[in-house]
Amino acid sequence: MTPLAPILLALSLGQTAPYVRSRVDAGDTRTQCLYWTSSRIVWNQSTYGNPDTQGDTEFDAIRASFQSWQDIFAECGNLTLEEGPRVDEREVGYRRQGDNTNLVLFRTRDCNTVVPAEDACWDDDDCANAYDCWDDDDNTIAITLTTYDERSGIIYDSDISFNAARFSFTTANGPTCFPPVTTNCVATDVQNTATHEVGHLIGLDHTRASGSTMFPNAPPGEVSKRIVDTGSRDFVCEAYPKGQVSQACLHPVTSLELGPKAGCSAAGPGGALSLLGVWALWLMRRARRQEEGP
Ligand SMILES: [Zn+2]
């Protein structure tokens, strides 16, 4: 046992399960799990991609990340992850009116350098959208912003933002490199990052289980998260079982809470949305799940 072991143990207690589902209140198992009930999740990449990644390879890398999850859904899950057309949209979050896309985008500017200190967006926590910039922690590689119904746990929207203001995203294989060297090597791997973030998008929280795709940290050069680990695979099979409804964690999810057309956890967003219009202000919650850097 190394001298570090007791500290690591203390940090990881209760967080080493093969997978941990996201909750309405993060980490509170008395609250409902977050999950999708629709049979199809369409996601869209921003047209702009990431100018600093070689060629257009970031688009393919992100597609590969979704595909590795989709392969598992095809085998034992009940929904389909489908790429929609690229969009010019640059806003994350959920709007009650208008189109909602499950957007994947790179923020290339740091809000601290482009937003005036007195701008109201700081108080509104909306600078990222207002100025198309990264407004989260500097050491965070990417963030998934999920909007869900706080009673049922049903997810309506989830958007993935990459921190390209701070991190150099690469798609190549090879040795670890550090900016400004980023060719033919791995700085911060797009697919490694995206595979982890898609895990959040479908309702996974972090676990410190060794080798998990959902381990919260990623050092430079890491590519091991490109492949979904077996624990995270089990989450898909168990939370989204093939031929069955998506699984809530707490029962019952009553029809009263979900609206007239909904029953148990089989409720689709369509059923719940009618209620959403009325209750949105206190039923909707946004959760951020982020991947920390080294
Ligand atoms: Zn994460």
Side-chain angles (χ1 to χ4, degrees):
M1 184 180 280
T2 69
L4 277 177
I7 299 166
L8 290 174
L9 185 67
L11 284 173
S12 61
L13 271 181
Q15 296 176 41
T16 55
Y19 69 84
V20 176
R21 292 182 66 171
S22 295
R23 299 277 178 166
V24 164
D25 290 323
D28 186 346
T29 55
R30 295 168 304 179
T31 63
Q32 190 60 272
C33 287
L34 307 190
Y35 61 109
W36 294 85
T37 53
S38 46
S39 59
R40 196 171 67 116
I41 304 172
V42 178
W43 56 278
N44 305 79
Q45 302 203 49
S46 165
T47 315
Y48 302 101
N50 184 32
D52 285 345
T53 303
Q54 197 171 20
D56 280 343
T57 54
E58 70 273 27
F59 295 106
D60 292 336
I62 288 167
R63 186 173 305 119
S65 291
F66 277 91
Q67 188 61 47
S68 54
W69 289 102
Q70 174 53 34
D71 288 346
I72 303 169
F73 276 107
E75 210 176 290
C76 68
N78 66 4
L79 61 81
T80 305
L81 298 167
E82 181 184 315
E83 184 174 14
R86 289 180 199 165
V87 293
D88 290 337
E89 176 70 55
R90 297 294 291 174
E91 292 194 12
V92 299
Y94 183 80
R95 284 186 303 281
R96 289 169 57 191
Q97 273 108 24
D99 293 338
N100 276 289
T101 52
N102 299 302
L103 184 64
V104 181
L105 83 173
F106 291 80
R107 299 285 197 199
T108 58
R109 310 188 300 171
D110 184 343
C111 292
N112 290 307
T113 65
V114 296
V115 182
E118 66 276 15
D119 198 289
C121 74
W122 292 115
D123 291 333
D124 301 339
D125 196 19
D126 196 38
C127 290
N129 283 336
Y131 286 84
D132 190 3
C133 56
W134 180 264
D135 74 347
D136 278 284
D137 188 276
D138 200 34
N139 288 321
T140 299
I141 301 170
I143 198 161
T144 300
L145 181 64
T146 298
T147 306
Y148 56 92
D149 181 308
E150 153 176 299
R151 283 197 200 172
S152 66
I154 292 172
I155 300 171
Y156 293 105
D157 182 88
S158 191
D159 304 302
I160 297 171
S161 306
F162 287 75
N163 182 5
R166 158 81 193 279
F167 292 91
S168 293
F169 288 99
T170 57
T171 53
N173 294 308
T176 302
C177 56
F178 298 88
V181 180
T182 56
T183 47
N184 300 319
C185 55
V186 186
T188 302
D189 187 67
V190 174
Q191 189 181 339
N192 191 70
T193 307
T195 305
H196 175 95
E197 296 304 321
V198 176
H200 289 314
L201 179 145
I202 60 176
L204 276 170
D205 204 338
H206 291 141
T207 176
R208 302 196 77 86
S210 175
S212 175
T213 306
M214 300 314 295
F215 196 86
N217 302 91
E222 186 186 83
V223 294
S224 57
K225 291 192 182 81
R226 287 180 182 175
I227 307 297
V228 179
D229 67 287
T230 54
S232 301
R233 165 182 287 266
D234 287 347
F235 160 74
V236 172
C237 309
E238 291 167 14
Y240 299 99
K242 197 176 196 66
Q244 299 177 48
V245 298
S246 302
Q247 301 295 299
C249 292
L250 305 177
H251 291 280
V253 179
T254 68
S255 57
L256 183 67
E257 287 168 352
L258 290 177
K261 288 180 184 169
C264 196
S265 53
L273 274 172
S274 56
L275 192 67
L276 197 65
V278 182
W279 301 101
L281 281 179
W282 57 93
L283 282 183
M284 297 292 282
R285 185 89 71 81
R286 304 199 320 174
R288 294 164 185 273
R289 298 281 185 276
Q290 53 202 57
E291 177 161 32
E292 301 291 336

